[in-house]
Amino acid sequence: MEKLTFYALSAPEKLDRIGAYLSERLIRDVSRHRYGYVCIAMEALDQLLMACHCQSINLFVESFLKMVAKLLESEKPNLQILGTNSFVKFANIEEDTPSYHRSYDFFVSRFSEMCHSSHDDLDIRTKIRMSGIKGLQGVVRKTVNDELQANIWDPQHMDKIVPSLLFNLQHVEETESRSPSPLQATEKEKESPTELAERCLRELLGRAAYGNIKNAIKPVLIHLDNHSLWEPKIFATCCFRIIMYSIQPQHSHLVIQQLLGHLDANSKSAATVRAGIVEVLSEAAVIAASGSVGPTVLEVFNTLLRQLRLSIDYALTGSYDGGAGGGTKIIKEHEERMFQEAVIKTIGSFASTLPTYQQSEVMVFIMNKVPLPSSQQPIEAGKAGENRNRLTQIMLLKSLLQVSVGFQCSNMLTALPSAFLDRLLSSALMEDAEIRLFVLEILISFIDRHGNRQKFSPISTISDISVLKLKVDKCSRQDTVFMKKHGQQLYRHIYLICKEESNVQAHYEALYSMLMLISIELANEEVMVDLIRLVLAVQEIAQINEDNLTAYNRCALFALGAAYLNLISQLTTVPTFCQHIHEVIQMRQKEAPYLLPEDVFVERPRLSKSLDRLGPEVFFWQSKISEVLGGSGYNSDRLSTPYIPQLTDEDRLSKRKSIGETISLQVEVESRNSPEREQ
């Protein structure tokens, strides 16, 4: 061997003849089953290949590849493995001169075939599969950097390579039970087809340039479709984790785009499949955030919202083509619901990865899709239409809530632009209790910038609020401007929501949080005064009861007022104010415990039917409060004026009957303007 190598190096022009001779010998030996000579010939070729890197190596390589192909074609596993090993060594050689006429098609096909080997003997099967994967890795390494080589990224090659790797990723052999920790694994265990396939896939994706990503991802999607791997989604998620972490981060939005396209293409597949794709999308989006999501942000939300609307239709009509029951597949409503939840979760996780300004855009975008009675958006009539509208409103508001939860913005003016706030608040006046609750929750998540929300539950009249450890900041200039601009609008909606008969405990808790958060986050003196007036007006709704509210609603409003005034009096730290509030609360504890949150906001509220026979000592008095606060420099004139909501166009459009009547009543009252008219 040494002599041969020396001869080949000193007379490089003889290389191709040496190669031709050796290959002729090898082919003869293979067909005569003289495997010892086959191994010797192959070893000789390997050594010559490693030693000679001269200009004329090209022709020698031809003979070499011809022999490797011959070995790979044989039936004997050992020869296949021998051929693969030689090919891998060859793949790692850097060649000086490019070659024009080499084709690797045979190798891609053969190695892919070996990856799928189903040999009876498990040990041999594993070896053949490992060889196949190594071979593919070799082909990729050899061709990926050479401009003149076969283009490995062509679909015809990718459609063989990628599924072969996924097949091995997916089939963890039964005997390959993973050892407890990779450090304790023996050498043999360390290398399994699964791990090797993963390494190879990562390497392949890491080398993919911008134009090749699509060809590499498409076979993954097709493989997951063909083998029904979207449900359960564990394997699909694992694949896309590998993909997202392996590709160059600036390409990640291309993967997201392909997943979205795939979701659209599957819009008539079973809900479980769509849910799987959406969950994978959600995972991928979170990883992509570190790179760039690119120009596709609104496209992502558009696709997701479109899928949400389709799903609502499917659930309502019971079929995929809108006909009544004409669908080919039976649609299970709970599966559609799971899918909708998955979409909403994805919208949230996707939005949380965006910068603040894009989150704002997304929220405006979602809000504009909510069908509202007062807007230009068509509201479908009829029973099915109403159902569809209601479901659409709920799903979109749920999505909005998901986005707003992760939203952090110090400036309320930019966080809640007027157009957005108007639309959001007009859905707060819907008859539907669930929708109202979502709107309150969304507003709360915007206003609560210091995480105080959780500290208010359960609602109680706590005697010392320092135990709540509230974070209170001074109200900034922008917040003051925001409240000047939108304050009256917010109060009005809080007031009108309080009058709703269908409110339940969750609504009162949300209203309470809302009032408290405005007081902590956005309040200057003027806002404080307005909020106190608002709460006293709410007490009056319960007291006069023109709207014929139930005993529970009335007690809840009384309790809400008590809890709020108790907290706010301690925040303003005016001793006489605190004293008045405290006295009334003590009176209630003695005479009418059912007017306090501790008795109302529990699983079995203790109520009283005789709410119209209550004595004056259990109420908070506007005159008394304006007197004690006026003495501390608050605006007592404003405090002694009862709060009246402003009338807007919205009320005329809204479906309320009683609004006109309440307004005329209040005008009458205001002309008398007697603060003590309750007495």
Side-chain angles (χ1 to χ4, degrees), residues 70-297:
K70 186 74 187 163
L71 292 179
L72 291 176
E73 279 170 349
S74 90
E75 292 295 305
K76 292 258 183 267
N78 290 349
L79 292 188
Q80 294 173 14
I81 292 166
L82 181 72
T84 307
N85 291 343
S86 287
F87 183 82
V88 171
K89 282 181 200 152
F90 158 70
N92 290 330
I93 294 176
E94 296 272 332
E95 289 183 65
D96 304 338
T97 47
S99 81
Y100 296 86
H101 47 78
R102 236 181 255 162
S103 150
Y104 289 101
D105 295 10
F106 165 78
F107 292 102
V108 171
S109 303
R110 186 68 188 116
F111 287 137
S112 299
E113 215 174 301
M114 287 165 69
C115 287
H116 288 86
S117 160
S118 53
H119 197 283
D120 301 336
D121 182 333
L122 179 72
D123 227 19
I124 294 176
R125 180 166 71 212
T126 305
K127 278 185 183 151
I128 295 179
R129 285 188 184 179
M130 301 257 290
S131 282
I133 298 168
K134 284 180 184 156
L136 286 178
Q137 200 172 17
V139 176
V140 171
R141 282 184 186 164
K142 198 70 192 155
T143 53
V144 86
N145 295 326
D146 192 340
E147 299 299 309
L148 302 162
Q149 299 284 3
N151 186 1
I152 200 73
W153 299 106
D154 283 350
Q156 79 229 36
H157 297 315
M158 279 291 124
D159 291 349
K160 289 177 190 155
I161 295 175
V162 174
S164 305
L165 297 177
L166 292 179
F167 173 79
N168 280 291
L169 258 184
Q170 190 189 331
H171 292 276
V172 180
E173 294 292 351
E174 293 69 35
T175 53
E176 268 182 43
S177 58
R178 293 286 168 95
S179 58
S181 104
L183 295 174
Q184 297 162 357
T186 60
E187 278 308 306
K188 183 173 175 295
E189 271 184 308
K190 254 184 208 161
E191 278 287 88
S192 69
T194 317
E195 283 156 16
L196 194 60
E198 183 179 329
R199 254 211 334 266
C200 185
L201 186 63
R202 285 182 190 280
E203 187 179 329
L204 177 73
L205 292 163
R207 292 167 183 255
Y210 185 85
N212 305 329
I213 292 278
K214 278 205 166 103
N215 288 351
I217 304 299
K218 200 163 177 238
V220 177
L221 296 171
I222 292 171
H223 182 83
L224 294 173
D225 281 351
N226 292 346
H227 298 271
S228 320
L229 292 170
W230 293 108
E231 33 153 350
K233 58 184 184 299
I234 299 129
F235 180 69
T237 316
C238 155
C239 276
F240 274 90
R241 267 205 205 109
I242 294 174
I243 292 171
M244 294 310 285
Y245 283 122
S246 304
I247 56 173
Q248 294 162 33
Q250 67 270 27
H251 301 336
S252 49
H253 64 94
L254 291 173
V255 180
I256 304 278
Q257 258 172 321
Q258 268 189 283
L259 275 166
L260 288 168
H262 197 65
L263 180 60
D264 273 345
N266 272 297
S267 53
K268 290 195 172 175
S269 302
T272 43
V273 172
R274 280 175 288 139
I277 301 176
V278 167
E279 299 256 355
V280 170
L281 192 65
S282 162
E283 289 261 344
V286 174
I287 298 170
S290 51
S292 70
V293 184
T296 51
V297 174

Side-chain angles (χ1 to χ4, degrees), residues 550-560 594-595 600 607-608 611:
T550 62
Y552 174 73
N553 293 128
R554 292 175 72 184
C555 288
L557 290 178
F558 282 128
L560 178 72
Y594 46 81
L595 301 184
V600 181
L607 308 174
S608 160
L611 290 176

Side-chain angles (χ1 to χ4, degrees), residues 514-574:
M514 177 91 173
L515 287 164
M516 282 316 307
L517 288 166
I518 295 177
S519 318
I520 293 175
E521 295 273 356
L522 306 170
N524 50 17
E525 264 184 33
E526 193 184 323
V527 174
M528 286 291 205
V529 167
D530 280 346
L531 285 168
I532 292 168
R533 289 171 58 220
L534 171 62
V535 170
L536 290 168
V538 167
Q539 172 180 275
E540 199 173 297
I541 296 176
Q543 208 174 337
I544 299 176
N545 197 21
E546 291 161 348
D547 297 284
N548 294 327
L549 295 173
T550 62
Y552 174 73
N553 293 128
R554 292 175 72 184
C555 288
L557 290 178
F558 282 128
L560 178 72
Y564 176 74
L565 289 169
N566 171 53
L567 260 178
I568 203 76
S569 63
Q570 296 183 54
L571 280 176
T572 49
T573 61
V574 177

Side-chain angles (χ1 to χ4, degrees), residues 233-478:
K233 58 184 184 299
I234 299 129
F235 180 69
T237 316
C238 155
C239 276
F240 274 90
R241 267 205 205 109
I242 294 174
I243 292 171
M244 294 310 285
Y245 283 122
S246 304
I247 56 173
Q248 294 162 33
Q250 67 270 27
H251 301 336
S252 49
H253 64 94
L254 291 173
V255 180
I256 304 278
Q257 258 172 321
Q258 268 189 283
L259 275 166
L260 288 168
H262 197 65
L263 180 60
D264 273 345
N266 272 297
S267 53
K268 290 195 172 175
S269 302
T272 43
V273 172
R274 280 175 288 139
I277 301 176
V278 167
E279 299 256 355
V280 170
L281 192 65
S282 162
E283 289 261 344
V286 174
I287 298 170
S290 51
S292 70
V293 184
T296 51
V297 174
L298 288 180
E299 185 190 323
V300 170
F301 290 99
N302 209 0
T303 303
L304 290 171
L305 294 177
R306 185 167 61 244
Q307 289 298 330
L308 204 51
R309 185 163 293 139
L310 277 173
S311 171
I312 290 169
D313 278 357
Y314 295 159
L316 285 172
T317 56
S319 84
Y320 287 125
D321 28 18
T328 42
K329 300 181 179 124
I330 305 293
I331 287 181
K332 300 192 179 91
E333 211 168 313
H334 69 273
E335 285 182 358
E336 287 299 336
R337 196 150 303 132
M338 266 168 42
F339 168 69
Q340 291 159 13
E341 292 301 329
V343 171
I344 290 169
K345 193 175 126 229
T346 303
I347 288 176
S349 65
F350 202 97
S352 63
T353 64
L354 300 174
T356 314
Y357 73 94
Q358 276 187 328
Q359 283 181 327
S360 293
E361 280 173 24
V362 167
M363 288 189 282
V364 172
F365 179 74
I366 296 176
M367 194 64 227
N368 286 338
K369 292 210 178 295
V370 178
L372 295 175
S374 55
S375 65
Q376 282 70 45
Q377 210 150 9
I379 276 265
E380 296 178 49
K383 186 84 185 87
E386 263 179 36
N387 266 343
R388 179 171 293 127
N389 289 328
R390 180 177 171 276
L391 277 171
T392 309
Q393 286 158 350
I394 286 176
M395 289 301 167
L396 290 174
L397 288 170
K398 254 190 188 172
S399 312
L400 200 56
L401 182 58
Q402 280 285 348
V403 180
S404 66
V405 166
F407 184 71
Q408 284 295 323
C409 181
S410 50
N411 183 353
M412 292 298 290
L413 275 170
T414 49
L416 291 169
S418 299
F420 174 76
L421 192 62
D422 293 346
R423 285 186 67 91
L424 183 60
L425 287 173
S426 61
S427 39
L429 295 184
M430 300 236 180
E431 308 268 320
D432 194 296
E434 199 176 350
I435 291 178
R436 286 201 306 277
L437 189 57
F438 277 126
V439 175
L440 285 171
E441 293 289 350
I442 290 166
L443 283 167
I444 287 168
S445 63
F446 275 119
I447 299 171
D448 182 17
R449 291 169 296 186
H450 294 91
N452 285 318
R453 165 76 200 271
Q454 295 313 316
K455 300 171 185 171
F456 300 132
S457 60
I459 306 180
S460 65
T461 46
I462 185 170
S463 55
D464 174 17
I465 63 164
S466 61
V467 298
L468 296 179
K469 299 193 172 62
L470 298 174
K471 289 192 186 127
V472 186
D473 266 0
K474 200 171 177 314
C475 178
S476 68
R477 222 185 88 247
Q478 291 115 324

